[in-house]
Amino acid sequence: IQNSIRPIANLALIGDNDIAQVADLATNIMAGYNIDTRSMPQVADVIASTISRSNVNIIETAESFKMAAGSLRLAGIDFTEASAAIGLLGNAGIKGTMSGTSLRSIVQRLAYQPKEAREILNKLGVSFTHWVDEFGIRKEKIRPLADIFEDLYKKGATLGDMQKIFHRTSANAAMQLAVNHKDLRRDTASHRASHG
């Protein structure tokens, strides 16, 4: 409680929200991402950075995470990059559950692509995964979102391609991430540097 009360109070002050509501929202976000409660100060800093740099508030951010946190975490998408993606989509008017649902759908397609999507990715020469060594074991992992969407943008992926790769329900969000890949990378770096 002592570790959490100051960052929660600061978030409540920034967002002009009830402190109990902010505490509930922040802990829900952390539970979805399986973040230990001792990390509340760092999580609060990332959330504050997100809402101060983009057109989302803490309630919209929490709604987005409610829909997508589990999938994002399981896909290995860093919390700071997920927050940057939520903020970026919010700037395009894709907020709350709409943003979270779109991100969840995008991540599911990063994990598995149907035949039509694989054909387009092969044509574009874009891969969603890369090989890494973890504790001496070679694993295939999903690449950072900024890297994936930068490649899609530079290889000329169209909205039609995005619909086939990510399904029409999340094609608009995917296109926003591609067009704004530089902002996604910048905001992710800003969130990582926001601690304290």
Side-chain angles (χ1 to χ4, degrees):
I1 291 171
Q2 286 179 337
N3 288 339
S4 300
I5 194 64
R6 183 181 295 276
I8 287 171
N10 287 340
L11 273 178
L13 185 63
I14 290 167
D16 195 23
N17 297 100
D18 177 73
I19 194 164
Q21 181 186 30
V22 170
D24 184 46
L25 295 173
T27 53
N28 288 345
I29 290 170
M30 293 172 69
Y33 240 91
N34 199 27
I35 299 172
D36 189 276
T37 53
R38 288 172 292 191
S39 297
M40 176 62 81
Q42 293 80 17
V43 169
D45 288 340
V46 171
I47 295 169
S49 180
T50 301
I51 63 179
S52 66
R53 294 174 193 280
S54 55
N55 188 21
V56 294
N57 59 38
I58 187 166
I59 294 169
E60 293 163 339
T61 302
E63 283 294 308
S64 296
F65 272 116
K66 178 175 82 173
M67 302 304 292
S71 296
L72 289 163
R73 176 177 58 85
L74 290 171
I77 305 299
D78 186 78
F79 177 71
T80 54
E81 188 171 44
S83 297
I86 287 168
L88 191 145
L89 292 176
N91 290 342
I94 305 168
K95 300 180 180 188
T97 56
M98 186 187 303
S99 166
T101 302
S102 295
L103 283 171
R104 183 179 63 204
S105 178
I106 286 170
V107 167
Q108 288 169 348
R109 285 297 179 103
L110 294 179
Y112 173 78
Q113 306 86 46
K115 183 174 183 249
E116 186 178 42
R118 284 194 308 271
E119 287 171 356
I120 292 169
L121 290 168
N122 289 337
K123 180 185 78 172
L124 294 171
V126 175
S127 176
F128 289 162
T129 60
H130 63 162
W131 290 93
V132 295
D133 288 320
E134 281 188 2
F135 310 110
I137 299 170
R138 193 158 164 76
K139 287 185 170 181
E140 190 175 22
K141 293 190 85 171
I142 293 175
R143 299 167 60 209
L145 294 177
D147 293 348
I148 291 168
F149 286 102
E150 180 179 6
D151 283 356
L152 287 167
Y153 179 79
K154 288 184 173 177
K155 298 288 180 137
T158 65
L159 182 57
D161 292 334
M162 292 298 202
Q163 285 183 351
K164 291 172 184 169
I165 297 168
F166 295 106
H167 196 265
R168 65 179 178 269
T169 56
S170 55
N172 181 33
M175 201 68 189
Q176 290 298 327
L177 294 174
V179 170
N180 297 292
H181 65 273
K182 290 181 183 174
D183 294 339
L184 179 60
R185 194 179 302 281
R186 180 202 64 207
D187 290 351
T188 300
S190 296
H191 295 343
R192 284 189 183 131
S194 70
H195 300 330

